[in-house]
Amino acid sequence: MKRILVTGGCGFIGTNLVKRLLSRGDYVIALDNLYCSDISNSEIFQDNPNYLFLNRDVRDSFDDIRVDQIYHLAAPASPKIYMKDSIYTLDTIVKGTLNALECAKKNGARIIISSTSEIYGESQINPQNEDYNGNVQPMCLRSSYDESKRCAETYAYCYYKQYGTDVGVARLFNTYGPYMSLQDGRVVTSFIESYINKEPLYINGDGNQTRSFCYIDDLIDGLIAYMDSNISGEAVNLGNDSEITINTLADVFMDIVGEKLRIEYKAAVENEPYIRRPDLSKAQRLLNYSYKAALRDGLKNTLDYFEKNYKKDEE
Ligand SMILES: NC(=O)c1ccc[n+]([C@@H]2O[C@H](COP(=O)([O-])OP(=O)(O)OC[C@H]3O[C@@H](n4cnc5c(N)ncnc54)[C@H](O)[C@@H]3O)[C@@H](O)[C@H]2O)c1
């Protein structure tokens, strides 16, 4: 039985990953300070003897934990949350990654660092492949997240080169699904929150900006395939390579709920990238990864999850 540490293990991706690893029979330690998640995501697993929750902060060393593998996910991930306290964001991503790499080094463990498509910034190429170096501003509202993730990647590369640490960097693109936080301000949850509260769908800008929405189950497949591979010292994109506008997302959403909803357009968010689509050929070649979930199915599962949980809160 492997001992696997998931930092940020109570967040959206963390909870889905913990669930999958436990179902596979691993021993899983979820480390999280609950900065932007809820203890209820840990309580789901509390009766499982192979699960341990540690309420700890990745900004402090955690190399006392004995592990074989580490998925390093801890970070405030939604713009609404990471912009609230930029210094916290910088510290968590930079120091947290350093501590995660130290933990891996001390244990001789394999580690996957979660990076982001945001390291490509306002991309001048589409789709974005791993050789593109990005177009990122060091001084703007999004910089605390984008630049610290770039620094996290550099830490990963340097640990690989200097200490031989067995590390992979996963560049994650927009992902959605059950166990997201309804109030995190990301577009899928924002639509669902509006629908549940009978409000209009809010869209920033003209809605012609594009995103490629990845359903969580595919992302978890990709992360586990990466961990179980022997690919080290590399960055690999993971996500969905089919791109749609936010207006199209709204149309599909209305189709699923079977209602014509009012759309309210708001000011575009400063420095928000206009296009976003991963080139997945490296993931396909190295990890045999390809995206599978249909948008309609993923959105329906996510909506069902929130409707069920919303009703629970109401009772
Ligand atoms: N969800 C996406 O679409 C997406 C896209 C690109 C990259 N990512 C990356 O994937 C990772 C997970 O994202 P998510 O969507 O699950 O985010 P999330 O906000 O749902 O989860 C992040 C978790 O990290 C925890 N955390 C924050 N600061 C911490 C600290 N100092 N110490 C310990 N725990 C801390 C939070 O409490 C939360 O449980 C992040 O690193 C994010 O940057 C996510």
Side-chain angles (χ1 to χ4, degrees):
M1 182 190 277
K2 284 202 177 70
R3 283 175 69 86
I4 303 182
L5 174 64
V6 179
T7 73
C10 297
F12 157 50
I13 297 175
T15 304
N16 284 283
L17 179 61
V18 167
K19 199 172 180 180
R20 181 81 73 86
L21 295 172
L22 286 172
S23 74
R24 201 173 76 155
D26 296 310
Y27 184 85
V28 183
I29 303 165
L31 184 156
D32 203 301
N33 69 350
L34 304 176
Y35 179 75
C36 46
S37 57
D38 196 282
I39 189 70
S40 61
N41 281 355
S42 168
E43 287 165 352
I44 317 168
F45 310 117
Q46 68 188 6
D47 295 331
N48 189 324
N50 291 339
Y51 175 76
L52 175 68
F53 169 60
L54 297 177
N55 188 338
R56 289 175 62 170
D57 191 319
V58 292
R59 291 174 299 170
D60 303 322
S61 168
F62 52 90
D63 65 7
D64 54 303
I65 304 172
R66 298 277 67 84
V67 284
D68 302 306
Q69 293 182 343
I70 304 170
Y71 291 88
H72 178 50
L73 304 175
S78 93
K80 182 175 154 188
I81 296 169
Y82 72 64
M83 285 181 196
K84 239 180 7 197
D85 185 345
S86 309
I87 304 299
Y88 175 88
T89 301
L90 273 170
D91 271 2
T92 292
I93 297 174
V94 176
K95 287 185 193 160
T97 302
L98 176 58
N99 287 329
L101 287 161
E102 274 299 310
C103 181
K105 179 169 160 250
K106 191 158 168 190
N107 279 282
R110 176 157 168 81
I111 178 170
I112 300 294
I113 305 278
S114 65
S115 184
T116 167
S117 57
E118 299 290 331
I119 65 103
Y120 296 121
E122 183 58 271
S123 179
Q124 286 148 334
I125 64 162
N126 202 36
Q128 293 81 49
N129 65 54
E130 291 85 348
D131 293 332
Y132 178 58
N133 289 330
N135 176 29
V136 179
Q137 277 208 43
M139 290 174 72
C140 76
L141 278 175
R142 303 177 80 89
S143 310
S144 64
Y145 183 75
D146 302 5
E147 292 289 26
S148 58
K149 286 286 186 180
R150 289 172 69 92
C151 178
E153 289 200 5
T154 308
Y155 259 134
Y157 181 77
C158 294
Y159 265 69
Y160 168 73
K161 279 285 175 195
Q162 201 163 323
Y163 301 130
T165 304
D166 189 8
V167 54
V169 169
R171 292 185 179 155
L172 314 184
F173 284 63
N174 293 66
T175 304
Y176 70 97
Y179 302 110
M180 289 180 90
S181 157
L182 198 56
Q183 285 82 33
D184 70 7
R186 294 187 250 197
V187 64
V188 171
T189 36
S190 154
F191 282 2
I192 294 175
E193 188 184 24
S194 291
Y195 173 68
I196 289 175
N197 293 327
K198 301 192 184 335
E199 287 176 10
L201 303 184
Y202 298 108
I203 292 182
N204 297 322
D206 61 10
N208 288 322
Q209 65 272 37
T210 65
R211 293 293 180 271
S212 308
F213 294 99
C214 173
Y215 186 61
I216 185 69
D217 287 358
D218 278 310
L219 186 86
I220 300 297
D221 286 349
L223 282 173
I224 291 178
Y226 200 173
M227 179 62 91
D228 292 348
S229 76
N230 56 8
I231 307 301
S232 239
E234 295 278 343
V236 179
N237 290 338
L238 290 176
N240 172 9
D241 52 358
S242 98
E243 185 180 21
I244 57 166
T245 67
I246 302 302
N247 286 326
T248 303
L249 179 73
D251 288 341
V252 176
F253 185 77
M254 288 189 270
D255 210 37
I256 286 168
V257 299
E259 281 178 49
K260 180 92 187 131
L261 305 168
R262 193 159 65 80
I263 295 184
E264 203 172 297
Y265 290 92
K266 303 207 286 193
V269 177
E270 196 186 333
N271 298 111
E272 190 178 58
Y274 206 71
I275 46 169
R276 196 42 62 78
R277 175 156 70 102
D279 180 332
L280 295 177
S281 39
K282 190 172 179 184
Q284 179 122 46
R285 183 167 43 84
L286 297 182
L287 310 177
N288 199 21
Y289 172 86
S290 57
Y291 186 74
K292 296 181 203 76
L295 179 65
R296 291 184 63 89
D297 297 341
L299 282 179
K300 178 86 177 68
N301 289 348
T302 311
L303 179 64
D304 288 349
Y305 165 80
F306 281 111
E307 287 194 308
K308 209 160 115 206
N309 285 280
Y310 178 73
K311 280 192 192 113
K312 242 189 238 159
D313 291 346
E314 288 264 281
E315 282 159 11

